[in-house]
Amino acid sequence: MSTERVCPSCAAVVPDGVRFCESCGAPTGAPPTDPLPPTAPLDVTPMEDAPISAPTRRPADALPDPAEPAGRRPCAECGGEVGPDYYCTTCGTKAPSERDHFEETPASWVAGVCDRGIVHERNEDAMAVLAADRPGSRAVLLVLDGVSSSVDSDVASLAGAHAAREVLRRPLPAGMGTPESRDAAVARTFADATAAANAAIVATTDPDSPNPASATFVCAVVEGRQVHVANVGDSRAYWLPDDGGGVQLSVDDSLAPAQIAAGVPREQAESSHDAHAITKWLGRDSGDITPRVGRIEVTGPGWVLVCSDGLWNYASTPAELAVQVRAAATTEPLALASALVGFATASGGHDNITAAVARLAVPEADEGVQHHG
């Protein structure tokens, strides 16, 4: 028999086992109703969550304790201890917030770097990365780009990334045995992930804010040779093989693709005044949050790249990104992600920058790209 509980955020009555309040979208604290079984094939390394800044307008208890974990990076100038006020206790140099730049390396073949860039005062990008130990087996790469014109998007984007990560911790469903059934089942899973991210974003938004927190969303799930992608907004996913041309796996929800489809050259469309006017996003004021989904079967070694527009602003096409990958001259994921962020920073760093990569080396097979949804 179902019992009822009270939402800790708005005090609305919620059924037992419901994880998000239907009234306000806040987490209820209920455990998952379908927990991961001990024998499930997803063997990922749990990531220590990146530190999050406190909301500027929401009460302090709107999120778990935002205090940073012990072990803050030492001072970049002298190696001394950085105090809680971000000033070095030895030389007095101001250190950046841990939220301004963080890295994740869940396995030897997967890594990500999220950075504030040069111009923006805070890092509103976020990422969450999971990977199994065995190279090429399974990984989840998530990037959310908080919309800079809205309040608390730095908090909301990271909360959304963490919420979506939990939905995607389990392997993607197989469906009823046909490709069409699997595609439909995978699309539903990605829809669940964006819904969870959206609920987390709403939960960190001041209900009275005239500019509620919002974010774009992009995700790539690697399962062997299959790479499934989903996006809402204009953060992107790419496949960049070592040999041959790469491919952009995601399709932007913005005005630029419509201009390109109408015959406007890509460079002109993406540099126009309305190029970054997104038509879909996550947040309290969003409309349709159903993600675009697609998949590719990779045929040889290369890189899966998931990134925010802070990177692809400076290298939009797969060919341009491939040049930067070759220039990095590395097969180490963290080194490549750092090099891509460094490239965007050196190019101006006008936006927050996030790059998450997975190194794949797979046997030859027929390649095919499909977009649906």
Side-chain angles (χ1 to χ4, degrees), residues 223-250:
E223 293 187 343
R225 291 185 296 175
Q226 295 287 326
V227 180
H228 293 264
V229 298
N231 74 285
V232 176
D234 63 353
S235 292
R236 292 182 178 179
Y238 295 84
W239 166 243
L240 304 171
D242 291 351
D243 299 314
V247 60
Q248 181 180 324
L249 302 176
S250 56

Side-chain angles (χ1 to χ4, degrees), residues 2-345:
S2 176
T3 59
E4 294 183 336
R5 306 170 64 250
V6 175
C7 172
S9 178
C10 70
V13 175
V14 293
D16 187 40
V18 172
R19 301 182 65 192
F20 294 96
C21 175
E22 293 184 1
S23 297
C24 70
T28 65
T33 56
D34 185 16
L36 180 66
T39 57
L42 181 58
D43 180 22
V44 297
T45 302
M47 287 301 303
E48 180 178 327
D49 286 346
I52 54 179
S53 52
T56 57
R57 297 186 62 186
R58 287 279 287 175
D61 61 356
L63 286 175
D65 183 5
E68 295 177 352
R72 186 181 293 113
R73 294 191 305 274
C75 174
E77 294 295 323
C78 73
E81 180 182 356
V82 175
D85 59 356
Y86 293 108
Y87 284 91
C88 176
T89 58
T90 301
C91 71
T93 299
K94 180 70 160 60
S97 163
E98 292 283 344
R99 182 65 176 87
D100 285 351
H101 178 98
F102 63 95
E103 303 170 355
E104 295 185 0
T105 52
S108 63
W109 58 290
V110 172
V113 176
C114 186
D115 188 85
R116 178 174 61 87
I118 296 175
V119 175
H120 285 204
E121 294 184 355
R122 62 181 185 177
N123 184 11
E124 292 167 324
D125 274 9
M127 69 175 179
V129 184
L130 294 172
D133 289 337
R134 182 166 61 85
S137 54
R138 187 167 197 272
V140 176
L141 311 178
L142 274 159
V143 170
L144 274 72
D145 180 355
V147 178
S148 59
S149 62
S150 56
V151 177
D152 290 336
S153 284
D154 56 332
V155 180
S157 62
L158 196 54
H162 292 166
R165 175 189 62 188
E166 296 312 303
V167 173
L168 297 169
R169 190 176 290 275
R170 299 186 65 173
L172 294 175
M176 300 299 291
T178 65
E180 295 78 12
S181 174
R182 176 170 170 78
D183 286 345
V186 170
R188 286 194 297 271
T189 298
F190 278 131
D192 290 342
T194 55
N198 191 66
I201 290 170
V202 171
T204 62
T205 300
D206 183 344
D208 299 322
S209 172
N211 296 308
S214 55
T216 65
F217 173 102
V218 66
C219 175
V221 176
V222 177
E223 293 187 343
R225 291 185 296 175
Q226 295 287 326
V227 180
H228 293 264
V229 298
N231 74 285
V232 176
D234 63 353
S235 292
R236 292 182 178 179
Y238 295 84
W239 166 243
L240 304 171
D242 291 351
D243 299 314
V247 60
Q248 181 180 324
L249 302 176
S250 56
V251 178
D252 295 351
D253 292 309
S254 70
L255 297 184
Q259 293 178 321
I260 294 171
V264 178
R266 181 178 182 132
E267 183 177 355
Q268 178 181 340
E270 291 183 345
S271 61
S272 68
H273 177 72
D274 296 326
H276 288 278
I278 55 176
T279 56
K280 291 174 66 174
W281 59 90
L282 303 183
R284 194 186 71 199
D285 61 350
S286 62
D288 180 11
I289 64 169
T290 304
R292 295 178 183 264
V293 295
R295 61 180 168 85
I296 184 173
E297 183 174 308
V298 301
T299 62
W303 295 95
V304 175
L305 166 66
V306 172
C307 65
S308 64
D309 60 356
L311 172 59
W312 69 253
N313 276 336
Y314 302 107
S316 173
T317 68
E320 291 170 325
L321 284 168
V323 169
Q324 298 306 318
V325 170
R326 288 193 292 271
T330 183
T331 57
E332 296 296 324
L334 184 57
L336 176 60
S338 297
L340 292 173
V341 170
F343 154 72
T345 301

